[in-house]
Structure formats: structure tokens, C-alpha cells
Amino acid sequence: MTDTHVEPRRADETGVPDPFPYMHPVLKKNYGNWKWHDRLRPGVLHHVSHDNDEVWTVRAGTQRQMDVHTIRTLCDIADMRAEGHVRFTTRSNIEFMVSKEEMVAPLIEALEAEGFPIGGTGNSVSMISHTQGWLHCDIPGTDASGVVKSLMDDLHQEFVTEEMPNRVRITTSCCQINCGGQGDIAINVQYTKPPVIDHDAVANVCERPAVVARCPVAAIRPALVNGKPSLEVDEQKCICCGACYAPCPPMQINSEESTKIAIWVGGKHSNARTKPTFHKLAVAGLPNNPPHWPEVSEVVKKILYAYKENGRDWERLGEWIERIGWPRFFELADIPFTRFHIDDFRGARESLNASAHIHF
Amino acid sequence: MTKKKHETPMLDELQGGKWPSFVDGLKRLANDEDKQYSGMMNDLLGQLEHSYETKLGYWKGGTVSVFGYGGGVIPRFSQVAEDYPESSEFHTLRVQPPAGMHYNTELLRSMCDIWEEHGSGLIALHGQSGDIMFQGCTTEKVQPAFDALNEIGLDMGGAGPALRTSMSCVGHARCEQSCYDEVRAHRTIINAFLDEMHRPALPYKFKFKFSGCANDCVNAIHRADFAVIGTWRDDMKVDQEEVKKYVAEAGRKYTIDNVITRCPTNALSLNDDDTLEVDNPSCVRCMHCLNVMNKALSPGDDKGVTILIGGKRSLKIGDQMGTVVVPFLKLESDEDYEKLEEMAENVIDFFAENALEHERIGETIDRIGLTNFLDGVGIGIDPNMVSHPRTNSYVDTSKWDQEAAKWLERKADNSAKTAAE
């Protein structure tokens, strides 16, 4: 077996595939020629082109991490109840395009029968954008798919309806690098202790100058520990960010108790009305509690439903808070305001109130 | 012989509920006794349950790639392989989807067949960078899996210090707000620099993202080193009859509260006859009124893009958004797309030559200042690049006259160009 030498195949360096062979024919025909759209119901978009061609899109939530059987089920539905063409949104929702309105209801029925929720359009809570977590990441503080599954079970009703003041984009990230991105509500790992260093392993595993350079607050320095070249952390300076853990796994940042979850609010990608914004800290110190993370779910729902009740039409979560003010947000969401909410990283004074504008 | 299945009481709790369950999928794969991946997925479930118990991850990286490429595979070796031997290697292949993430069922089914034969049967659609993630492959199977995927027209995405897989919104394919051909821009740029993707040699990662308008559905300003956002520079289009219909339906108060006063630059006014007055030079193309009055308002005809450089996530100076470096680039003709490609090349080259190791371009700009970056890539300054001019006086302005002359010269050039048009 091992003797058979086969010249490896050289790759066709084709790059990004051309989507037109896969695109729904009505989309292809009207490429760059769409005029307006409306929504027939949550999860169903209706687009009309300048030539009066029409296309209906049914959007369904998926679990993102899909087995081949799930994908084939979606393909079967696309072949039997739609026209064989689908696309995915950035939030892992699948979209089925059909050229006739009468195809919409049977398509929805088939998707719902297989357990795929229809929604995620307009002023709904769409699928949570997320990362890999324990399933596949090399530096995760928590799981991603599990947190998302638990939360989407809880928020299912808000996915299939459009009853929020504006769209809600929730994200999760399983470490502080924040690969999940900015969100109206972001659920991110927050470490609470400096790394615990396995000094026997550092010299063999880590490129020490690179690790020293990675620290945002210059708290890491080379050191000789027990006669071995290693690294040490100035724990007074350390901000427990975990940046050193990726280039140096022997600097374990996680532990069963110290890895916590923080919730951030008011991130926004769109330029509509206000410029894009970053999310801001709402709560930290929540336990990393699989398989359902109930403490996280509770806080998310408190924030979400305070927004649902008090936000005005078209206000994104962050815009709602801008209007009512942070003191009232903390009151309405029933969240304590702590010294940790006051930024002290570089550029922090930009975030302080330099005015006599006070909310009472 | 049926192998004993790991007990997974915690993961089992994620099987009920109304949202589609990834655990259901993992278990179906583990139970596919006649498939090569069954044992791997059983042990994968075992390791994942172990993570749920101990609240720790157990994967470490390494080096795995395919012939001729240096990147695109995310190697994962288990640190608890003695307990879960069959998933001891569980690598991911990052593969670029068709631009705009369009598929027909034939393509999806072929992907499934290939991954059933060579991989774990688990596919994520899609990762945060926009890749199809074929998750779970042994080192030995990485090459045949990629060969088969490459045969059906798919190519590897980016990983490591390299050009990364890109994303473009649905755009021209199904959106009336789209201001340029996103598929063309996406494929032109990425396919021009595949060498930077497949053979990682940049200081750190570099991401392009393409949104057809300022709604920025692929989150380009936050997430991309090079964000391309569709816009227009002439007047927005107003169908006054549709405006009147909207006001009649939604009500005057609702229209004033939700369209007129939500305009960030006070560029809108509702006339007494329920038509709309637009102060176009004050409009910043934020998209809000076009989103709300979708039938009545549309982008203008003189379309192009705004380019922002330097968006990134936390590591290591905190999250940053992109900064405007090109307020408007017309994007219609072949020549326009060549110009975009040239600009991308200049920025990538500058990044390759000037960024420190593990530094994103946004951090480089932070370190050297925007004007030095602009000099480096050959772009002139513009007041659209700042929220407001500097507020501190600590700057040497001794060359004010020369710099002012440059500005006046550019202005004269521009008006000559406009006159020629």
C-alpha cells in the first residue's frame, strides 16, 4: 500500500465560483434590475423587477452545522416544492426562491413539517451569528452551537414573527477575540483570571517573543522558571483577555469557574439613520453553564423584551438606548451598573459624558 | 460490528426544542453504521460531551495542507485522543462558495456525496468569513476530499496570514438597493489575488467584503480590512405618487416621525401636499428613507462605491471599524473595475511591505497615521475621510501654503474634468 507513489493532483486554482450557473433563473434574468419588494408574511419576501417579473423567497432557519442528511432534506424540499435553487444568508438562514406565488404555501408547509422555522425577515430576531466553540475551535471558552441552539429555542417565537421595533441581530463569540462580530445583543466569553502557565511546556510549544508581543498591556515577559525558559505574567497589569492563549496554549486562560459570559448591547452594522456602532457592555460575570446557559438566556430576554416594549418603530436596540439614556436602560433591563461599565482602556475618555446632558 | 455509543446526557438535552438541532445531525452521522465516518462522529460526540462536562476545549492546531497550497485547511488534533481515538484528527476544509452564496441542489448534493465519502458528513453553511466549512477530516483524507471538491468547481478559501475568503450580499441578484455588480467586484478582486490566499505570506489576515448599499448586509465596515459599499452621487429618485400613497396609508404623523425626522442630516421635508422634498447635497445615502418607503424612493443613477479600510475584531487593540479612504469610485465600466483592482493591489502591497507581523491594516493606520497610509497607496486626501478636523493644535503646519496649493490644484483639476464631461 505505502509503496504506491502517485503524483498528487495539482489544484485548478479557480477561486470564487461563478454563481450564475447556480442562481435561480428569475434572479439571473433580472440581475441588477429589481425595483421594489414587500413582505407577504414573516419569512416571505416578494421582489418585483422593472420588467414586472416577480420572485418569492421563503426564508428558513437552520442549525448552520448541518449533517449531509439535513442538507439532502433541504435539497429534496427545494426540488419538490421549489425550483431547485437556494441561497444562504450571512446568518445561516436558507432561502428558497420560487417564480409563482402559489408555490409559497406548500413550500412553507414542507419546511415546517421537517422542523425548519420560517422567519428571520424584517423586524424579527434572526438567527444568531456564531463561532465554532468546543466543537472545533482551538481556543474556545465555551460552546457556540449549543448556546445558539438553547437561545433560539427560547426566541423561536421572535424569529417567526416580526414584532420587534426594528431588526435584532444577536451574535455569540466563544472567546474575547469576538469572531462572532458586533450585535444588537452580543453574548461573548469574558475571562476573569490571568493565564495559568505550564512552565514545563512553554519552551517547546511557544515562540516566546511572539507571545510577549501579543499582549495588549505588555504584562508578559520572558523568565527562567525552574531552570527552564518560560514566560511570566505581571498579574497586576494583566487584563485577562486571553490574547496570549492562542499563540501559547500552555498559558491556559480557561477554567471551569473563571470563564464567564458577558452580554453587550447596541452594536449595529447598517449605516441607516446613525453611523455603524459597536456594542457596549451590559452584563458580565454570568456563569458558563451548559447545556442550556439559562442565566444568559434570562438576561438576553430581559433586554430584548424591554426593547420590544419600549423601543419605537425603526429604532435599533442601540438607538433606543441612545434616546432613553443609559440610566433608564439599566433600570428597564433590571441590570446593575458597575465600575466595570466605565471604560479605562486607551481612548476611554471618548466614551465619557463631557456635557451637562443628564437623564433623570 | 456496532461500536458502543458514547453516553451524551448533556448534548441530549439539546435535541428537543423548536430550533433545528445540530446534535440531531451529529447523532444521525454517528448512527450511520455503514458509513466510514460513523466511528469518527461517535468519538466527536464523546469529546464534545466531555467539553460540556469540564467546560474546556480539547483541540490543538498543527500543519496540514493540500498539494500546491499553504492554507485553507484548519488542522485540528484532539488532546484527548486516547479516549476518543477515531476523531483524533478532525480538520476543516475552508472552501469558497459561489459569490452571493447561490446554490442549486445538484451542487449541494455533490458536496454531500464527497463529504460522505471522504469526511465526517458535517458541513457548516457558512463560517463567519463566508466559507463553506467541511468539518471533520483525517489528515490522510484531506487531499482526496479537496481533489473531489476542486473537480466540481470549488476552490480552497483562506486561513492564516493570508487573503481570506470574501463575502458579497445578495445585491444585484435580488435587491433593488444594490448600487454595483457585487458578484463582479467580489470575483474580480479575490480571483486576482488568489496567490495571496493559497500561499499565505502576508503579515496577517486580510479581508474584503462587498455590500451593495449602506445597509451593509455583509457587515463589511466592521469586519473587513477593505470594505466596498455601494452608493450613488446624484440625486435619489423620488416617485411622488408613491410618496403620496405611502403617506395616505401610513399617516402623516407616522411619516414625519419615522421618515422625515429620522433622517440623520435633516435632508427631508414633507410638503403640504404630501410629496417629499429632498435636500440632496445634505443626504449621506444612509438608506433609512429608502428602506422605509421602498416603492417611492430609490438610489440615483450615478452609482459607485465608497471604500473603507481597516475594520477588524478585538485582537489586540479593540474592535475597529473601517475608515473612508475613497468616498466615491464610479463602478460601472470595465475600466472602473480595473481601477478597483489596482486600488486593491496597492493596498495589499502596502500592507505586505509595511505592516508588522500579526498587525491588521487598521492597526498599521493607527500606528502611522492615515495621511502616511494615503501617501503610501497614492490616494489624495478628502474631507469625507474625517468625522471632523483635528481638535488639537499639536501639529507642525509650516508647510501649510504648499498643502493648500495642492488642494486648490486638485479642485481646479476636478472642475476641468467635470467641464469636459
Side-chain angles (χ1 to χ4, degrees):
Chain A
M1 278 294 284
T2 48
D3 289 334
T4 54
H5 178 77
V6 185
E7 183 62 27
R9 175 182 171 281
R10 192 161 276 282
D12 284 332
E13 220 157 324
T14 45
V16 190
D18 181 356
F20 290 101
Y22 310 114
M23 200 183 281
H24 189 282
V26 179
L27 268 50
K28 194 159 39 175
K29 175 168 178 265
N30 293 282
Y31 190 77
N33 193 37
W34 294 99
K35 191 166 183 225
W36 58 271
H37 83 276
D38 57 5
R39 298 192 304 279
L40 305 188
R41 50 153 280 179
V44 180
L45 307 168
H46 165 231
H47 285 84
V48 179
S49 79
H50 285 284
D51 299 330
N52 287 318
D53 282 343
E54 294 175 88
V55 74
W56 287 265
T57 300
V58 174
R59 185 180 291 176
T62 75
Q63 60 271 56
R64 190 178 91 146
Q65 247 77 21
M66 286 182 274
D67 59 307
V68 289
H69 305 298
T70 297
I71 296 172
R72 285 175 181 145
T73 300
L74 290 166
C75 287
D76 290 342
I77 294 171
D79 285 334
M80 288 187 290
R81 298 290 179 93
E83 291 161 331
H85 299 269
V86 299
R87 69 174 294 274
F88 287 85
T89 71
T90 52
R91 310 188 84 80
S92 300
N93 299 312
I94 186 167
E95 295 185 330
F96 298 77
M97 277 66 65
V98 292
S99 60
K100 296 180 198 71
E101 187 173 4
E102 60 266 27
M103 297 181 79
V104 170
L107 172 56
I108 289 175
E109 196 189 338
L111 285 163
E112 284 180 339
E114 291 293 340
F116 297 103
I118 307 300
T121 52
N123 299 346
S124 64
V125 177
S126 190
M127 167 62 166
I128 300 169
S129 77
H130 65 98
T131 51
Q132 298 281 17
W134 290 326
L135 182 69
H136 204 259
C137 185
D138 58 337
I139 52 166
T142 187
D143 198 28
S145 311
V147 183
V148 170
K149 160 69 177 153
S150 294
L151 212 55
M152 288 312 290
D153 279 345
D154 270 11
L155 300 178
H156 177 270
Q157 183 61 22
E158 305 304 336
F159 181 87
V160 301
T161 55
E162 296 179 347
E163 292 171 358
M164 291 288 158
N166 199 341
R167 65 197 58 211
V168 178
R169 298 290 181 253
I170 303 180
T171 66
T172 72
S173 290
C174 51
C175 80
Q176 282 185 225
I177 295 173
N178 192 24
C179 299
Q182 295 287 325
D184 291 283
I185 302 175
I187 302 152
N188 294 0
V189 154
Q190 184 81 20
Y191 306 114
T192 62
K193 66 156 185 55
V196 174
I197 305 171
D198 176 357
H199 292 290
D200 293 334
V202 169
N204 287 331
V205 180
C206 317
E207 196 188 321
R208 294 190 303 153
V211 183
V212 169
R214 195 72 64 90
C215 179
V217 293
I220 303 173
R221 56 190 170 230
L224 215 58
V225 182
N226 303 327
K228 288 179 184 151
S230 185
L231 295 162
E232 65 183 13
V233 172
D234 179 344
E235 298 198 356
Q236 293 295 314
K237 275 169 115 181
C238 177
I239 50 171
C240 314
C241 71
C244 52
Y245 180 46
C248 188
M251 300 181 77
Q252 177 58 268
I253 191 74
N254 288 295
S255 80
E256 194 169 347
E257 286 308 314
S258 67
T259 299
K260 302 285 190 189
I261 312 280
I263 294 180
W264 305 70
V265 294
K268 168 175 166 288
H269 296 293
S270 163
N271 293 261
R273 302 168 303 284
T274 51
K275 290 181 179 180
T277 53
F278 289 130
H279 51 230
K280 291 100 183 162
L281 180 66
V283 180
L286 298 171
N288 185 17
N289 196 1
H292 291 300
W293 290 267
E295 298 83 0
V296 169
S297 193
E298 193 191 320
V299 175
V300 169
K301 282 189 280 186
K302 276 205 291 199
I303 295 169
L304 194 65
Y305 290 112
Y307 163 64
K308 186 177 182 179
E309 198 174 316
N310 296 285
R312 290 181 186 160
D313 283 8
W314 298 100
E315 271 177 351
R316 290 284 289 267
L317 202 141
E319 294 169 294
W320 164 61
I321 299 171
E322 279 301 311
R323 173 169 59 82
I324 65 170
W326 286 97
R328 194 142 153 252
F329 165 76
F330 284 100
E331 201 179 296
L332 288 172
D334 188 26
I335 290 169
F337 182 76
T338 69
R339 62 185 293 127
F340 303 112
H341 288 98
I342 301 173
D343 196 352
D344 54 8
F345 199 60
R346 66 186 76 157
R349 285 201 73 201
E350 289 279 319
S351 70
L352 305 182
N353 183 6
S355 77
H357 293 197
I358 304 293
H359 280 94
F360 294 106
Chain B
M1 192 188 76
T2 304
K3 213 185 145 196
K4 196 176 163 294
K5 294 278 177 285
H6 293 288
E7 296 290 321
T8 55
M10 289 178 101
L11 291 172
D12 294 352
E13 287 195 40
L14 295 172
Q15 287 195 270
K18 286 184 164 176
W19 195 259
S21 170
F22 71 104
V23 178
D24 284 344
L26 298 180
K27 291 211 161 185
R28 274 194 290 270
L29 296 172
N31 288 331
D32 279 343
E33 304 288 351
D34 56 331
K35 298 285 196 276
Q36 51 81 24
Y37 53 68
S38 160
M40 173 193 253
M41 293 311 284
N42 180 38
D43 275 356
L44 187 272
L45 274 161
Q47 176 174 326
L48 188 57
E49 178 74 15
H50 184 51
S51 279
Y52 270 61
E53 285 162 4
T54 60
K55 305 187 189 182
L56 290 172
Y58 294 101
W59 298 110
K60 60 181 178 197
T63 311
V64 178
S65 57
V66 296
F67 182 64
Y69 286 4
V73 181
I74 308 296
R76 288 292 175 257
F77 295 93
S78 174
Q79 293 171 306
V80 285
E82 62 280 13
D83 296 324
Y84 311 101
E86 293 197 51
S87 57
S88 63
E89 296 168 355
F90 200 78
H91 315 314
T92 281
L93 275 69
R94 286 186 178 169
V95 170
Q96 299 183 75
M101 294 172 176
H102 297 272
Y103 296 88
N104 59 15
T105 53
E106 191 193 335
L107 176 60
L108 285 172
R109 288 183 199 278
S110 305
M111 285 160 45
C112 289
D113 293 346
I114 290 167
W115 204 236
E116 192 169 80
E117 187 186 344
H118 298 293
S120 69
L122 183 68
I123 304 174
L125 296 164
H126 298 83
Q128 291 294 324
S129 286
D131 289 285
I132 309 167
M133 296 189 295
F134 290 89
Q135 298 194 292
C137 194
T138 61
T139 308
E140 191 190 5
K141 293 281 188 65
V142 164
Q143 185 70 49
F146 173 68
D147 288 346
L149 291 167
N150 195 216
E151 290 286 346
I152 63 166
L154 299 173
D155 196 2
M156 200 73 94
L163 173 67
R164 296 300 187 88
T165 299
S166 179
M167 278 168 119
S168 48
C169 65
V170 67
H172 262 31
R174 202 201 54 206
C175 183
E176 63 278 5
Q177 318 284 34
S178 164
C179 290
Y180 67 99
D181 183 344
E182 300 83 1
V183 166
R184 181 171 182 185
H186 180 167
R187 296 189 71 230
T188 299
I189 298 295
I190 300 302
N191 291 350
F193 305 108
L194 286 175
D195 194 38
E196 300 293 356
M197 178 177 287
H198 293 146
R199 284 160 284 273
L202 293 174
Y204 198 22
K205 64 182 85 170
F206 196 93
K207 299 183 178 186
F208 286 87
K209 287 194 197 300
F210 302 88
S211 279
C213 77
N215 283 318
D216 195 1
C217 289
V218 296
N219 313 334
I221 294 177
H222 275 114
R223 307 193 71 126
D225 298 280
F226 193 116
V228 182
I229 311 284
T231 190
W232 66 95
R233 62 181 167 182
D234 56 344
D235 294 353
M236 75 158 89
K237 290 183 185 168
V238 183
D239 180 336
Q240 297 290 6
E241 287 312 306
E242 287 291 343
V243 172
K244 284 187 201 169
K245 266 194 227 168
Y246 179 89
V247 178
E249 219 167 276
R252 189 170 292 152
K253 176 179 163 62
Y254 188 89
T255 306
I256 292 169
D257 286 351
N258 289 283
V259 183
I260 309 298
T261 60
R262 289 213 180 279
C263 173
T265 55
N266 298 319
L268 299 178
S269 176
L270 190 66
N271 294 320
D272 289 339
D273 63 354
D274 290 345
T275 57
L276 189 71
E277 190 179 304
V278 184
D279 171 14
N280 275 289
S282 298
C283 168
V284 288
R285 283 76 177 156
C286 84
M287 298 307 292
H288 172 73
C289 61
L290 280 79
N291 293 340
V292 182
M293 299 172 76
N294 180 267
K295 276 190 194 175
L297 309 178
S298 336
D301 287 321
D302 190 7
K303 292 172 180 169
V305 295
T306 298
I307 297 172
L308 298 94
I309 303 285
K312 60 176 286 297
R313 293 282 63 81
S314 298
L315 239 186
K316 72 176 204 184
I317 58 169
D319 288 34
Q320 291 196 331
M321 292 188 219
T323 302
V324 172
V325 300
V326 179
F328 188 82
L329 176 71
K330 183 90 177 155
L331 203 50
E332 267 176 10
S333 65
D334 292 353
E335 221 172 48
D336 296 337
Y337 281 88
E338 277 164 27
K339 228 167 159 184
L340 179 70
E341 188 182 323
E342 193 184 310
M343 191 166 293
E345 187 173 7
N346 288 343
V347 174
I348 292 175
D349 284 351
F350 182 87
F351 177 59
E353 281 163 27
N354 294 283
L356 303 175
E357 194 196 325
H358 211 264
E359 185 178 67
R360 295 282 288 271
I361 189 72
E363 290 162 299
T364 313
I365 293 174
D366 230 35
R367 180 166 56 81
I368 66 173
L370 181 66
T371 48
N372 284 324
F373 170 78
L374 293 171
D375 288 347
V377 296
I379 294 175
I381 56 163
D382 189 289
N384 269 311
M385 293 172 183
V386 298
S387 295
H388 54 74
R390 72 162 60 234
T391 57
N392 72 70
S393 67
Y394 291 164
V395 56
D396 173 3
T397 59
S398 56
K399 292 196 174 118
W400 177 269
D401 288 343
Q402 288 99 307
E403 291 298 321
K406 278 187 204 166
W407 172 255
L408 294 172
E409 202 179 306
R410 270 181 60 198
K411 245 178 102 173
D413 272 3
N414 285 345
S415 43
K417 258 189 227 159
T418 316
E421 277 170 20

